[in-house]
Amino acid sequence: MLWKPYDDATEVAANKNHEIPRMRYKLIQSKVLDKNTVFLPLYDAVSTFSETEYQQLKPLILEQNIPNIQKHIQEGKLTYEKLVLFYLHRMYTYELNNATTLNTVIALNKNVLIEARKKDKERRAGMAGKHPIYGMPVLLKDNINTAGMNTTAGAIALMNNEVDDAVIVKHLKENGALILGKVNLSEWAYFLCDGCPVGYSAVGGQTLNPYGRRVFETGGSSSGSGTAMAANYAVAAVGTETSGSILSPSSQNSVVGLKPTIGLLSGAGIVPISSTLDTPGPMTRNTIDNSILLSAMMGNDTQSSQQNYAEIAAAGLQPKAFAEMRLGVMTILLESDTLYGNTVERLKKLGAKIIEFTPPKVELEGFLSILNIDMRNDLPAYLNEHVKDTKAVTITSVADVIAFNAADSLVRIPYGQKRFEGIMADTTSSRQLKDIKKTLERNGRLYFDKALDTYNLDAVLSINNYHAGYAAVAKYPALTLPMGYRETGEPVGLTFIAKPYKEVLLLQLGAAFETEFCVRKMPDLYH
């Protein structure tokens, strides 16, 4: 036995007066997940990887980007197997220690070392794939279908959900990526309870922020993807976003997160909220890896066929000159956020053309109805198409989930299920929903386009996920990068928002910012 449950009452009590109401936790640990079932299968292999070897490999891997890691492998200083063992060593060190666990890793690929050895053998035989993601260990948010690991969306109702690979996972594997495991999330992508902690799921428990366990929010709903990247548990991670679910945890954990244009990546095989607004996206520690991971998930099955994969993969290596940048900044953010203001001033000094503007006032009325009605329709469709064993997963609808949870509310829904109940109460008609979607897309685009078009801007600058709702309904891409830290040590992200299919431009802007500002630092406890 590697891990023992502990009494988290003291930790819970310590958070009862937290200034953020939703951080007044009711529990930290999962009541249903035994971490031994996750970590024991690979324990023997990981235990042969010594601390001495870990320290020797640390300079070659920790905080390194994919091209550097691949270079070390080509030079014979590293192997794909050792790379996987390095990350597993970190997981076992931190996640099995109740004083440092982030409750981030909730499933591991039992065959990952076998797969890594195969990659090494192929490389030695000159048969390695050409995509730079080849042999790189990647973690997936646990609402993304993955063969060999159950896909739960953090919900007990889906704990036994055996599925085949989602389309983006197929693409990752085709390009040679190693799927290392699954990470925690805000249950049902934070569309279950209202006012509850982000990063909580009944399956995984409460995800914690490595920059301040129980002090700072993890962001959500791709909480585990953000915390895993911050703690260096893998080369890269995949998150999903409906509105802010990549941008929020990326900024809260001082990593790089890209919410792509809706339609660039396939959403097939991902537990849904809204087929209108959902998208997967890359979460990494730098723009180089972000562009590589994005390109590795693309395929001819979506509008991504319009894009040049190679151009996207290289975007993080091609920073745009500051003198060529035209960036829109919001007056209200300049007046209210010193870090944002100081960042803008420095961008000016570097030569970027800065245009200050006030966005037009537009309404997002009906936004919740898009999520409600879409999920009421999309969840049954997902369950019907992807669930393999209807005896193991008995739910077929949102109403079924509500009834399932109510049968054991203390364990299954300690924070309630108000948002699910709201789904069933929404009376918006199909015609009304169509009109809402059309109006909100128009309003969301107007919010950004007035400045983007008038001043011929490359992008608009925001903070964290402040304007994620507008970008969501507009279906615009957004890239967030580490901008700095508050006096408390809480990470803050600078978010670039641009027009559809401007991912290359966003990554080039981000690469320039990242190279010049170089503000990201590792969380102290996870060096």
Side-chain angles (χ1 to χ4, degrees):
M1 193 170 184
L2 300 175
W3 173 81
K4 292 182 180 180
Y6 69 107
D7 184 355
D8 58 13
T10 302
E11 292 181 333
V12 171
N15 269 55
K16 70 177 182 180
N17 294 319
H18 199 288
E19 61 182 6
I20 300 174
R22 66 184 178 189
M23 287 197 70
R24 296 166 190 169
Y25 301 142
K26 292 185 178 182
L27 73 165
I28 306 292
Q29 297 177 92
S30 167
K31 294 182 178 180
V32 298
L33 181 68
D34 181 350
K35 290 187 179 181
N36 290 296
T37 63
V38 176
F39 289 95
L40 271 173
L42 290 169
Y43 173 72
D44 288 344
V46 176
S47 63
T48 65
F49 185 76
S50 69
E51 180 65 22
T52 300
E53 194 168 13
Y54 169 76
Q55 293 297 338
Q56 289 172 342
L57 293 180
K58 210 171 178 182
L60 303 178
I61 301 172
L62 196 68
E63 293 285 306
Q64 296 294 307
N65 62 37
I66 290 173
N68 282 343
I69 292 173
Q70 293 284 20
K71 180 173 178 286
H72 297 322
I73 289 170
Q74 291 301 321
E75 292 171 345
K77 298 175 182 177
L78 184 63
T79 65
Y80 296 123
E81 181 183 3
K82 295 296 185 183
L83 179 64
V84 171
L85 283 167
F86 178 90
Y87 289 121
L88 288 172
H89 179 90
R90 289 184 63 82
M91 288 182 193
Y92 280 60
T93 299
Y94 295 118
E95 289 300 293
L96 293 173
N97 181 342
N98 289 326
T100 58
T101 183
L102 302 172
N103 289 331
T104 287
V105 179
I106 60 176
L108 287 173
N109 175 6
K110 297 174 184 178
N111 297 315
V112 68
L113 288 169
I114 296 171
E115 293 167 7
R117 291 182 200 115
K118 183 179 178 183
K119 301 296 182 194
D120 283 320
K121 187 176 181 181
E122 289 173 350
R123 183 187 64 79
R124 289 191 295 268
M127 298 167 58
K130 294 182 179 179
H131 197 286
I133 203 70
Y134 184 88
M136 297 295 102
V138 176
L139 289 166
L140 304 176
K141 183 178 179 180
D142 196 27
N143 61 347
I144 301 171
N145 283 4
T146 314
M149 287 176 278
N150 293 350
T151 296
T152 73
I156 294 175
L158 291 179
M159 276 192 78
N160 297 311
N161 184 30
E162 295 182 22
V163 290
D164 294 321
D165 287 331
V167 169
I168 60 165
V169 178
K170 290 179 182 177
H171 292 323
L172 285 170
K173 290 181 177 180
E174 287 164 359
N175 285 310
L178 293 167
I179 306 304
L180 182 55
K182 309 290 284 291
V183 288
N184 206 1
L185 69 161
S186 306
E187 188 168 343
W188 293 108
Y190 205 63
F191 204 60
L192 171 66
C193 45
D194 192 38
C196 53
V198 290
Y200 171 79
S201 78
V203 171
Q206 182 62 55
T207 316
L208 301 171
N209 190 320
Y211 289 92
R213 296 173 77 253
R214 308 190 340 267
V215 178
F216 304 131
E217 290 193 283
T218 58
S221 62
S222 304
S223 313
S225 303
T227 56
M229 284 298 93
N232 276 260
Y233 285 170
V235 166
V238 182
T240 67
E241 174 153 332
T242 307
S243 177
S245 286
I246 289 173
L247 300 178
S248 167
S250 295
S251 55
Q252 282 293 125
N253 291 281
S254 201
V255 299
V256 179
L258 175 67
K259 186 215 85 165
T261 305
I262 300 299
L264 183 72
L265 298 177
S266 172
I270 298 175
V271 181
I273 291 180
S274 166
S275 55
T276 307
L277 303 177
D278 291 349
T279 180
M283 297 171 67
T284 58
R285 285 177 292 274
N286 56 74
T287 52
I288 294 171
D289 293 353
N290 206 274
S291 58
I292 288 171
L293 180 58
L294 176 63
S295 69
M297 290 189 284
M298 293 168 62
N300 292 321
D301 38 66
T302 68
Q303 295 175 48
S304 62
S305 59
Q306 301 174 12
Q307 305 295 303
N308 183 317
Y309 304 163
E311 187 181 13
I312 285 181
L317 290 165
Q318 300 171 339
K320 188 177 177 73
F322 285 101
E324 297 175 3
M325 294 183 191
R326 296 181 62 83
L327 303 171
V329 302
M330 300 187 187
T331 302
I332 190 171
L333 295 183
L334 286 173
E335 294 172 347
S336 63
D337 195 293
T338 303
L339 182 55
Y340 180 85
N342 291 341
T343 300
V344 168
E345 284 303 310
R346 189 170 167 191
L347 285 166
K348 280 183 185 178
K349 290 178 182 178
L350 288 167
K353 179 68 175 176
I354 302 294
I355 292 88
E356 187 178 330
F357 75 100
T358 298
K361 291 183 179 180
V362 298
E363 298 295 328
L364 296 186
E365 186 176 352
F367 183 90
L368 187 58
S369 287
I370 296 178
L371 309 189
N372 285 338
I373 308 305
D374 272 1
M375 187 153 187
R376 200 158 73 198
N377 295 327
D378 295 341
L379 181 58
Y382 166 88
L383 295 169
N384 182 62
E385 182 176 354
H386 297 286
V387 169
K388 286 186 172 184
D389 186 350
T390 55
K391 291 181 180 178
V393 177
T394 59
I395 57 168
T396 60
S397 66
V398 171
D400 283 353
V401 179
I402 292 173
F404 177 91
N405 288 338
D408 189 357
S409 60
L410 287 177
V411 172
R412 296 173 182 176
I413 45 168
Y415 298 100
Q417 52 184 338
K418 189 174 181 180
R419 292 190 177 181
F420 262 41
E421 291 161 353
I423 292 172
M424 299 310 298
D426 197 316
T427 58
T428 303
S429 68
S430 298
R431 179 55 187 264
Q432 288 172 321
L433 184 65
K434 185 177 180 180
D435 290 341
I436 288 170
K437 289 179 179 180
K438 184 177 180 181
T439 299
L440 287 187
E441 183 173 324
R442 182 179 66 244
N443 286 355
R445 295 192 172 198
L446 175 63
Y447 187 84
F448 299 110
D449 285 358
K450 190 168 183 183
L452 287 168
D453 292 340
T454 301
Y455 305 111
N456 190 29
L457 303 177
D458 293 317
V460 166
L461 300 185
S462 179
I463 299 171
N464 293 6
N465 61 323
Y466 286 13
H467 299 93
Y470 297 98
V473 294
K475 302 180 180 178
Y476 281 9
L479 174 73
T480 193
L481 303 97
M483 178 167 61
Y485 303 83
R486 303 293 185 201
E487 291 181 2
T488 59
E490 183 175 18
V492 187
L494 181 67
T495 303
F496 296 74
I497 302 169
K499 288 201 172 187
Y501 301 106
K502 293 292 184 180
E503 281 77 10
V504 169
L505 174 60
L506 284 174
L507 288 161
Q508 290 171 339
L509 292 169
F513 177 84
E514 179 181 75
T515 302
E516 182 65 35
F517 284 70
C518 199
V519 296
R520 173 180 154 72
K521 57 186 180 182
M522 290 181 64
D524 289 339
L525 280 178
Y526 300 86
H527 274 255

